[in-house]
Amino acid sequence: GTARLSRAEPRAGDGRSGEEEEEVEEGCYQLYPGHIPTSPLQKALLAAGSAVMALYDPYRHDMVAVLGETTGCLALPNLRDKMKHHPEGYHILQERPRIRLSTLDMDRLRGLPDGTLGREYVRFLEDNKVSPDTRMPPKFVDDEELAYVIQRYREVHDLMHTLLGMPTNMLGEVVVKWFEAVQTGLPMCVLGAAFGPVRLSARKLQVLATELVPWAIRSGRNASCILNVYYEQRWEQPVESLREEIGIFPPP
Amino acid sequence: GDIAFRFINYVRSVRERQLQRKLRHHQNLSWQEIAESYQEDKSKSLGDSQVVVCDINKEMLKVGKQKAQHLGYSEGLSWVLGNAEELPFDDDKFDVYTIAFGIRNVTRIDLALQEAYRVLKPGGRFLCLEFSQVSNSLLSRLYDLYSFQVIPVLGEVIAGDWKSYQYLVESIRRFPPQEEFKAMIEDAGFFKVDYQNLNSGIVAIHSGFKL
């Protein structure tokens, strides 16, 4: 049947505005702040709609996020279990650290020696003019722990760029998506990896196909689960050493 | 705004026809007289008719003004910022009061109806176009399915805004059904209140007269 989200009887001559009603409703079903409960039909429509929109307008990062949330029902529990069965991953699930400008000590990280994770991460953020605060909070994941897992995946994405040495242009993003697709199995990553190259020039496609993608796939398969690394405790670690520890091959 | 444009078009077309009829009866006018009569009407194509567009939201008024300019409507139109529950107009001022998909968003619908009554002249007409209740049960189920399952998704995908569209479909359901709304209009003092369903009641036009 159709899942109605709220009592929809018209109230006779009711003067109250709709806002109050909506908040109460959300409180009944909301599993975490920002959660919007959705029926299977709505999720299917969202998945299809967001896929089309993300392809049509690549700047709609919110659509990529929605696609990830609505299609991750198999991959996310898988990732959560991988985290649970690993000491560092388990630790992360317990403590639920967030990578945000308010939680990061940017000055301290900037002051670290070159080649360390912290220094290179800050360099990456500044060079590409991105901020960790622009990551969308999850809305359509119907489990609060899985919502954290996808949030963690999003916040760790910039660190993936740093570890893989890839910039935030279309080419770099596609390479990271290939790596993440192998690592996480999220359908959104697979789709992004498969369709992202559509907008690249022939020359870039060649570099992508001959060097970058094979390397990304090899690294992705060789590496341990990237969500099982407590990055916030490893800012001083040199990037190369961290790469070796995780199993990422040096970039071409 | 859109109703204002249609009204202006209608007034102009009626006057146009009147002018044509008048000219047909004056077959032996000189060229100069004919030219004068055309010129005169061009600057007063509306005669004494006027439309006032009122909205509580400044941005909406701005959009309306831009649209009017774009479409070439200039004379006979005025734009007023105001609250339907407390209109900035004198009593007995208007011949017609129309509200389209607006009364649903008013907090105190009864006050808006009372204000509509107040500002209308005796003999004036109240017209309201609004979402209403679907009587046909099959259509109602399909309409509910579409409203609750598809519309918020479209809102999220196209506008990145699930919540506003969720609110929209909920507010539509909360609005009183046709008969109840008719009773509310009668309570405000209107006579000969009637309604017409469009699309089996997805939308209804209610009408009432101040006598």
Side-chain angles (χ1 to χ4, degrees):
Chain A
T2 319
R4 285 267 203 98
L5 298 185
S6 61
R7 288 172 270 122
E9 314 104 21
R11 276 138 156 246
D14 186 56
R16 275 214 313 238
S17 82
E19 258 83 27
E20 293 167 34
E21 175 102 310
E22 193 195 53
E23 263 150 54
V24 169
E25 294 301 334
E26 296 272 42
C28 294
Y29 302 103
Q30 228 185 6
L31 297 169
Y32 50 87
H35 179 215
I36 297 176
T38 42
S39 68
L41 174 60
Q42 283 173 322
K43 285 202 181 64
L45 292 171
L46 271 173
S50 61
V52 170
M53 195 49 116
L55 272 176
Y56 176 72
D57 182 359
Y59 289 103
R60 290 289 302 273
H61 299 299
D62 61 325
M63 285 295 102
V64 178
V66 169
L67 182 62
E69 288 169 35
T70 49
T71 54
C73 41
L74 288 173
L76 284 176
N78 205 358
L79 279 174
R80 187 256 311 269
D81 291 342
K82 275 195 193 161
M83 289 176 80
K84 258 195 173 145
H85 300 148
H86 186 280
E88 214 167 326
Y90 187 82
H91 204 41
I92 296 172
L93 277 178
Q94 295 282 74
E95 294 188 358
R96 308 252 179 121
R98 296 288 305 274
I99 303 178
R100 267 187 295 222
L101 282 178
S102 52
T103 56
L104 295 174
D105 186 349
M106 298 297 280
D107 289 329
R108 181 179 86 92
L109 295 180
R110 221 175 274 121
L112 288 172
D114 286 343
T116 52
L117 181 66
R119 182 72 194 91
E120 297 311 310
Y121 175 60
V122 172
R123 196 194 304 275
F124 164 80
L125 290 179
E126 287 172 351
D127 283 351
N128 291 277
K129 298 197 188 46
V130 291
S131 150
D133 291 358
T134 55
R135 300 293 150 202
M136 299 266 322
K139 290 192 285 228
F140 304 112
V141 180
D142 291 335
D143 176 307
E144 140 322 304
E145 192 173 36
L146 295 180
Y148 174 73
V149 171
I150 206 171
Q151 176 96 78
R152 182 75 183 161
Y153 152 75
R154 281 178 195 159
E155 291 181 355
V156 153
H157 177 79
D158 288 336
L159 283 159
M160 288 305 102
H161 273 280
T162 310
L163 286 176
L164 294 169
M166 288 289 129
T168 54
N169 55 24
M170 199 66 194
L171 184 65
E173 291 290 355
V174 170
V175 177
V176 177
K177 274 286 163 292
W178 275 95
F179 179 79
E180 286 177 344
V182 174
Q183 273 275 311
T184 64
L186 281 167
M188 177 265 284
C189 297
V190 175
L191 287 171
F195 287 100
V198 160
R199 292 175 174 264
L200 290 173
S201 67
R203 186 173 56 83
K204 287 193 177 156
L205 271 174
Q206 207 194 13
V207 175
L208 191 69
T210 53
E211 290 179 31
L212 295 173
V213 167
W215 162 70
I217 296 178
R218 269 183 299 129
S219 290
R221 294 170 95 164
N222 188 50
S224 61
C225 181
I226 43 140
L227 289 183
N228 280 337
V229 180
Y230 207 138
Y231 298 99
E232 292 91 326
Q233 289 174 347
R234 292 162 175 270
W235 294 126
E236 290 90 0
Q237 187 174 1
V239 170
E240 292 196 5
S241 136
L242 187 57
R243 267 192 206 133
E244 234 186 273
E245 188 182 326
I246 298 178
I248 300 175
F249 299 124
Chain B
D2 289 330
I3 295 181
F5 303 149
R6 289 193 191 206
F7 175 76
I8 291 174
N9 286 343
Y10 175 75
V11 170
R12 281 195 187 139
S13 76
V14 166
R15 287 177 65 84
E16 197 53 50
R17 255 179 274 141
Q18 281 175 346
L19 171 67
Q20 282 171 3
R21 255 181 269 139
K22 192 169 84 176
L23 284 180
R24 248 180 270 139
H25 291 132
H26 297 156
Q27 287 303 325
N28 44 2
L29 283 177
S30 72
W31 278 118
Q32 192 179 33
E33 284 171 290
I34 294 175
E36 268 175 16
S37 68
Y38 267 113
Q39 255 178 342
E40 181 186 75
D41 281 286
K42 217 177 175 134
S43 57
K44 309 191 286 166
S45 64
L46 281 182
D48 292 320
S49 301
Q50 281 184 62
V51 187
V52 176
V53 184
C54 180
D55 199 297
I56 199 170
N57 184 318
K58 230 185 269 182
E59 294 304 308
M60 286 294 263
L61 283 177
K62 208 160 60 165
V63 172
K65 276 187 218 171
Q66 284 170 354
K67 190 170 184 180
Q69 213 172 28
H70 185 68
L71 293 171
Y73 294 96
S74 49
E75 33 149 12
L77 255 188
S78 45
W79 305 84
V80 175
L81 188 68
N83 183 348
E85 295 177 9
E86 211 179 332
L87 289 172
F89 306 116
D90 264 330
D91 300 4
D92 307 326
K93 274 209 82 185
F94 296 96
D95 299 287
V96 182
Y97 173 114
T98 68
I99 183 165
F101 299 122
I103 208 156
R104 192 181 79 251
N105 299 312
V106 172
T107 320
R108 292 282 306 272
I109 298 177
D110 52 341
L111 290 181
L113 292 172
Q114 283 169 32
E115 278 294 272
Y117 188 84
R118 180 180 70 77
V119 303
L120 275 171
K121 288 187 203 155
R125 188 173 195 178
F126 167 81
L127 286 163
C128 173
L129 174 71
E130 191 49 85
F131 286 109
S132 202
Q133 307 292 334
V134 177
S135 40
N136 177 320
S137 65
L138 172 64
L139 184 63
S140 169
R141 289 226 299 268
L142 287 172
Y143 180 50
D144 283 353
L145 185 78
Y146 180 73
S147 294
F148 285 98
Q149 298 299 311
V150 180
I151 290 181
V153 172
L154 289 176
E156 178 70 22
V157 171
I158 299 174
D161 188 355
W162 175 285
K163 298 230 164 144
S164 295
Y165 289 86
Q166 179 72 39
Y167 171 73
L168 170 69
V169 298
E170 286 177 3
S171 74
I172 290 174
R173 292 300 175 298
R174 259 194 284 273
F175 193 74
Q178 287 84 331
E179 283 295 326
E180 203 179 309
F181 188 49
K182 173 177 169 189
M184 288 170 78
I185 299 173
E186 283 167 347
D187 284 344
F190 290 99
F191 286 93
K192 281 231 72 176
V193 180
D194 201 7
Y195 60 86
Q196 188 190 352
N197 276 344
L198 301 174
N199 292 15
S200 301
I202 294 181
V203 161
I205 302 177
H206 279 75
S207 155
F209 289 91
K210 174 174 179 173
L211 296 179

Short mmCIF file of all heavy atoms in Angstrom, two decimals, chain A residues 82-97 148 152 227-233:
data_model
loop_
_atom_site.label_atom_id
_atom_site.label_comp_id
_atom_site.label_asym_id
_atom_site.label_seq_id
_atom_site.Cartn_x
_atom_site.Cartn_y
_atom_site.Cartn_z
N LYS A 82 32.01 -4.20 7.97
CA LYS A 82 33.47 -4.17 7.85
C LYS A 82 34.09 -3.31 8.95
O LYS A 82 35.15 -3.62 9.49
CB LYS A 82 33.88 -3.58 6.48
CG LYS A 82 33.91 -4.56 5.35
CD LYS A 82 34.67 -3.97 4.16
CE LYS A 82 34.43 -4.82 2.93
NZ LYS A 82 34.74 -4.12 1.69
N MET A 83 33.40 -2.21 9.25
CA MET A 83 33.91 -1.33 10.29
C MET A 83 33.81 -2.00 11.66
O MET A 83 34.73 -1.94 12.48
CB MET A 83 33.13 -0.01 10.30
CG MET A 83 33.44 0.87 9.12
SD MET A 83 32.43 2.36 9.10
CE MET A 83 33.30 3.38 10.27
N LYS A 84 32.67 -2.65 11.87
CA LYS A 84 32.44 -3.29 13.17
C LYS A 84 33.47 -4.35 13.47
O LYS A 84 33.85 -4.56 14.63
CB LYS A 84 31.06 -3.94 13.19
CG LYS A 84 30.01 -3.18 13.92
CD LYS A 84 28.81 -4.07 14.18
CE LYS A 84 27.82 -3.37 15.08
NZ LYS A 84 26.45 -3.73 14.73
N HIS A 85 33.91 -5.05 12.41
CA HIS A 85 34.82 -6.18 12.63
C HIS A 85 36.28 -5.79 12.59
O HIS A 85 37.14 -6.64 12.42
CB HIS A 85 34.53 -7.27 11.58
CG HIS A 85 33.12 -7.78 11.66
ND1 HIS A 85 32.43 -8.22 10.57
CD2 HIS A 85 32.27 -7.88 12.71
CE1 HIS A 85 31.20 -8.59 10.94
NE2 HIS A 85 31.09 -8.39 12.23
N HIS A 86 36.56 -4.52 12.69
CA HIS A 86 37.94 -4.04 12.67
C HIS A 86 38.12 -3.13 13.88
O HIS A 86 37.25 -2.32 14.17
CB HIS A 86 38.17 -3.26 11.36
CG HIS A 86 39.58 -2.82 11.15
ND1 HIS A 86 40.12 -1.72 11.76
CD2 HIS A 86 40.56 -3.35 10.38
CE1 HIS A 86 41.38 -1.57 11.37
NE2 HIS A 86 41.67 -2.55 10.54
N PRO A 87 39.24 -3.27 14.60
CA PRO A 87 39.38 -2.49 15.84
C PRO A 87 39.28 -0.98 15.64
O PRO A 87 38.57 -0.30 16.37
CB PRO A 87 40.78 -2.89 16.36
CG PRO A 87 41.45 -3.60 15.24
CD PRO A 87 40.41 -4.16 14.36
N GLU A 88 39.96 -0.46 14.61
CA GLU A 88 39.93 0.99 14.41
C GLU A 88 38.55 1.42 13.91
O GLU A 88 38.01 2.44 14.33
CB GLU A 88 41.01 1.39 13.40
CG GLU A 88 41.64 2.74 13.67
CD GLU A 88 42.90 2.97 12.85
OE1 GLU A 88 43.64 2.00 12.59
OE2 GLU A 88 43.12 4.12 12.46
N GLY A 89 37.97 0.61 13.01
CA GLY A 89 36.64 0.92 12.48
C GLY A 89 35.59 0.91 13.58
O GLY A 89 34.71 1.77 13.63
N TYR A 90 35.71 -0.07 14.47
CA TYR A 90 34.77 -0.18 15.59
C TYR A 90 34.84 1.06 16.46
O TYR A 90 33.82 1.61 16.88
CB TYR A 90 35.14 -1.43 16.39
CG TYR A 90 34.15 -1.77 17.48
CD1 TYR A 90 32.99 -2.46 17.18
CD2 TYR A 90 34.37 -1.38 18.80
CE1 TYR A 90 32.07 -2.78 18.16
CE2 TYR A 90 33.45 -1.68 19.79
CZ TYR A 90 32.31 -2.38 19.47
OH TYR A 90 31.39 -2.67 20.44
N HIS A 91 36.09 1.48 16.69
CA HIS A 91 36.36 2.69 17.46
C HIS A 91 35.66 3.90 16.83
O HIS A 91 35.02 4.70 17.52
CB HIS A 91 37.89 2.89 17.44
CG HIS A 91 38.42 3.69 18.58
ND1 HIS A 91 37.99 3.57 19.87
CD2 HIS A 91 39.36 4.64 18.58
CE1 HIS A 91 38.66 4.41 20.63
NE2 HIS A 91 39.49 5.09 19.88
N ILE A 92 35.76 4.00 15.51
CA ILE A 92 35.13 5.13 14.80
C ILE A 92 33.62 5.08 14.96
O ILE A 92 32.97 6.09 15.21
CB ILE A 92 35.51 5.11 13.30
CG1 ILE A 92 37.02 5.32 13.14
CG2 ILE A 92 34.77 6.19 12.54
CD1 ILE A 92 37.52 5.12 11.72
N LEU A 93 33.04 3.88 14.85
CA LEU A 93 31.59 3.74 14.99
C LEU A 93 31.13 4.13 16.40
O LEU A 93 30.05 4.66 16.58
CB LEU A 93 31.14 2.32 14.70
CG LEU A 93 30.93 1.95 13.24
CD1 LEU A 93 30.53 0.49 13.13
CD2 LEU A 93 29.87 2.82 12.60
N GLN A 94 31.98 3.87 17.36
CA GLN A 94 31.64 4.23 18.74
C GLN A 94 31.69 5.73 18.93
O GLN A 94 30.79 6.34 19.48
CB GLN A 94 32.65 3.60 19.72
CG GLN A 94 32.62 2.10 19.77
CD GLN A 94 31.45 1.58 20.57
OE1 GLN A 94 30.32 1.62 20.13
NE2 GLN A 94 31.73 1.09 21.76
N GLU A 95 32.82 6.31 18.50
CA GLU A 95 33.03 7.72 18.81
C GLU A 95 32.38 8.67 17.81
O GLU A 95 32.16 9.84 18.11
CB GLU A 95 34.54 8.01 18.88
CG GLU A 95 35.18 7.30 20.06
CD GLU A 95 36.63 7.73 20.28
OE1 GLU A 95 37.15 8.55 19.50
OE2 GLU A 95 37.21 7.22 21.25
N ARG A 96 32.09 8.18 16.59
CA ARG A 96 31.44 8.99 15.57
C ARG A 96 32.11 10.34 15.35
O ARG A 96 31.49 11.39 15.49
CB ARG A 96 29.97 9.23 15.90
CG ARG A 96 29.18 7.98 16.21
CD ARG A 96 28.25 7.68 15.09
NE ARG A 96 27.48 6.47 15.33
CZ ARG A 96 26.16 6.44 15.38
NH1 ARG A 96 25.47 7.54 15.23
NH2 ARG A 96 25.54 5.29 15.58
N PRO A 97 33.43 10.34 15.01
CA PRO A 97 34.08 11.64 14.77
C PRO A 97 33.54 12.29 13.48
O PRO A 97 33.12 11.59 12.57
CB PRO A 97 35.55 11.25 14.60
CG PRO A 97 35.53 9.85 14.13
CD PRO A 97 34.33 9.20 14.75
N TYR A 148 25.32 7.49 9.65
CA TYR A 148 26.67 7.92 10.03
C TYR A 148 27.71 7.34 9.08
O TYR A 148 28.65 8.01 8.69
CB TYR A 148 27.02 7.53 11.48
CG TYR A 148 28.47 7.88 11.77
CD1 TYR A 148 28.85 9.21 11.93
CD2 TYR A 148 29.46 6.90 11.76
CE1 TYR A 148 30.18 9.55 12.11
CE2 TYR A 148 30.79 7.23 11.95
CZ TYR A 148 31.16 8.56 12.12
OH TYR A 148 32.47 8.90 12.28
N ARG A 152 30.34 9.49 7.09
CA ARG A 152 31.77 9.29 7.24
C ARG A 152 32.42 9.10 5.87
O ARG A 152 33.47 9.68 5.58
CB ARG A 152 32.03 8.05 8.12
CG ARG A 152 33.49 7.75 8.38
CD ARG A 152 34.08 8.69 9.39
NE ARG A 152 35.51 8.44 9.60
CZ ARG A 152 36.33 9.32 10.14
NH1 ARG A 152 35.87 10.50 10.52
NH2 ARG A 152 37.61 9.04 10.31
N LEU A 227 37.45 3.13 5.34
CA LEU A 227 36.67 3.68 6.45
C LEU A 227 37.18 3.17 7.80
O LEU A 227 36.72 3.58 8.84
CB LEU A 227 35.19 3.32 6.30
CG LEU A 227 34.44 4.04 5.18
CD1 LEU A 227 32.97 3.66 5.21
CD2 LEU A 227 34.56 5.54 5.32
N ASN A 228 38.12 2.26 7.73
CA ASN A 228 38.65 1.72 8.98
C ASN A 228 39.90 2.43 9.46
O ASN A 228 40.67 1.88 10.24
CB ASN A 228 38.95 0.22 8.81
CG ASN A 228 37.68 -0.60 8.92
OD1 ASN A 228 36.72 -0.15 9.52
ND2 ASN A 228 37.70 -1.78 8.34
N VAL A 229 40.11 3.62 8.95
CA VAL A 229 41.29 4.37 9.37
C VAL A 229 40.82 5.60 10.13
O VAL A 229 40.03 6.38 9.62
CB VAL A 229 42.13 4.80 8.15
CG1 VAL A 229 43.35 5.58 8.60
CG2 VAL A 229 42.52 3.60 7.32
N TYR A 230 41.32 5.74 11.34
CA TYR A 230 40.94 6.89 12.17
C TYR A 230 41.85 8.05 11.79
O TYR A 230 42.84 8.33 12.46
CB TYR A 230 41.09 6.53 13.64
CG TYR A 230 40.16 7.31 14.56
CD1 TYR A 230 39.52 6.67 15.62
CD2 TYR A 230 39.95 8.67 14.39
CE1 TYR A 230 38.69 7.35 16.47
CE2 TYR A 230 39.11 9.36 15.23
CZ TYR A 230 38.47 8.71 16.27
OH TYR A 230 37.64 9.39 17.11
N TYR A 231 41.50 8.73 10.69
CA TYR A 231 42.38 9.75 10.12
C TYR A 231 42.71 10.87 11.11
O TYR A 231 43.80 11.41 11.11
CB TYR A 231 41.75 10.34 8.85
CG TYR A 231 41.57 9.30 7.78
CD1 TYR A 231 40.34 8.69 7.56
CD2 TYR A 231 42.65 8.89 6.99
CE1 TYR A 231 40.19 7.72 6.60
CE2 TYR A 231 42.50 7.92 6.02
CZ TYR A 231 41.25 7.33 5.83
OH TYR A 231 41.10 6.37 4.88
N GLU A 232 41.72 11.18 11.94
CA GLU A 232 41.94 12.30 12.87
C GLU A 232 43.06 12.03 13.86
O GLU A 232 43.56 12.95 14.51
CB GLU A 232 40.66 12.60 13.65
CG GLU A 232 39.53 13.17 12.80
CD GLU A 232 38.63 12.08 12.25
OE1 GLU A 232 39.13 10.99 11.95
OE2 GLU A 232 37.42 12.34 12.14
N GLN A 233 43.42 10.75 14.00
CA GLN A 233 44.51 10.45 14.93
C GLN A 233 45.83 10.26 14.20
O GLN A 233 46.82 9.87 14.79
CB GLN A 233 44.19 9.17 15.71
CG GLN A 233 43.07 9.40 16.71
CD GLN A 233 42.63 8.11 17.38
OE1 GLN A 233 42.99 7.02 16.95
NE2 GLN A 233 41.84 8.25 18.42
#
